[in-house]
Amino acid sequence: MKKLDNVEKMLNGIMAFFLALMGIFIFFNVVLRYFFNSGITWAEELSRFLFVWTVFLGAIGAMKDNNHLGFSSLVQALPPLAKKICFLVSNVLVMACLWVLFDGSLEMTMMTMETLSPATGLPLAYMYGIGIISSFGMFLVVCCNLYRGIFVKGAIDTLVVRKESEEEGSSP
């Protein structure tokens, strides 16, 4: 579990670094355009790349924390065996979707190895490659959750958690 915490800290650090870079690039580009009627041509494109990478890396963290959208209120009302079956079926479906993401990202990455982005000159494969990393990371999280759901007693109740909205959770 310690290694997973280190991986999560590393992902959060990378995302924070990317967000800081995006903020710096966009700020300086706005200042240059407003005051000097010029700009950094590659800053907008690189910020877009960093944004895509941040979103896909964040999806891994959201999967780990069970924060993706789900319909858990019905599943929580089911008896334990039905709850376990629904959990297993839904995770197998998620794995199938992750395979589609992986396969499509791999194909797009291979197709765009030689295609360069207009402003930065970076291969567009860098943009599509994050789909490979993200799908693989989320696949590992789903595998760990499936293992816990099958072999750890009572883990289904912690894995199938109904997230309350902030409005419902806070009372005046």
Side-chain angles (χ1 to χ4, degrees):
M1 240 11 182
K2 198 83 154 154
K3 288 181 183 180
L4 287 179
D5 290 339
N6 290 337
V7 170
E8 183 179 17
K9 285 179 185 177
M10 182 185 68
L11 282 176
N12 289 340
I14 291 170
M15 289 187 297
F17 179 70
F18 286 173
L19 284 171
L21 276 179
M22 282 189 297
I24 291 167
F25 289 156
I26 291 170
F27 173 77
F28 281 117
N29 225 8
V30 167
V31 169
L32 287 172
R33 285 187 180 156
Y34 187 75
F35 290 111
F36 302 106
N37 203 21
S38 70
I40 307 169
T41 56
W42 51 265
E44 184 180 337
E45 187 174 279
L46 190 57
S47 294
R48 195 175 317 124
F49 277 37
L50 293 172
F51 179 73
V52 170
W53 272 73
T54 303
V55 168
F56 274 83
L57 291 175
I60 299 170
M63 180 69 78
K64 181 204 166 281
D65 295 339
N66 200 19
N67 284 333
H68 283 284
L69 290 176
F71 190 70
S72 59
S73 57
L74 174 66
V75 176
Q76 285 181 327
L78 294 173
L81 180 62
K83 192 183 294 187
K84 194 172 211 172
I85 291 170
C86 281
F87 175 77
L88 295 174
V89 167
S90 67
N91 277 283
V92 168
L93 289 173
V94 167
M95 290 173 96
C97 290
L98 289 173
W99 172 254
V100 171
L101 174 63
F102 176 81
D103 188 48
S105 296
L106 184 62
E107 191 173 321
M108 286 299 295
T109 301
M110 293 305 185
M111 283 190 329
T112 58
M113 288 285 230
E114 303 295 322
T115 308
L116 302 179
S117 62
T120 60
L122 293 171
L124 284 177
Y126 290 156
M127 175 73 92
Y128 296 112
I130 186 60
I132 297 168
I133 295 167
S134 181
S135 59
F136 183 72
M138 288 190 284
F139 179 81
L140 291 177
V141 171
V142 171
C143 287
C144 290
N145 287 344
L146 277 172
Y147 176 82
R148 286 177 50 208
I150 293 170
F151 296 111
V152 177
K153 188 169 178 77
I156 293 288
D157 292 325
T158 59
L159 291 169
V160 180
V161 176
R162 190 172 109 199
K163 301 281 182 176
E164 299 292 336
S165 69
E166 291 182 23
E167 294 85 28
E168 292 176 13
S170 61
S171 14

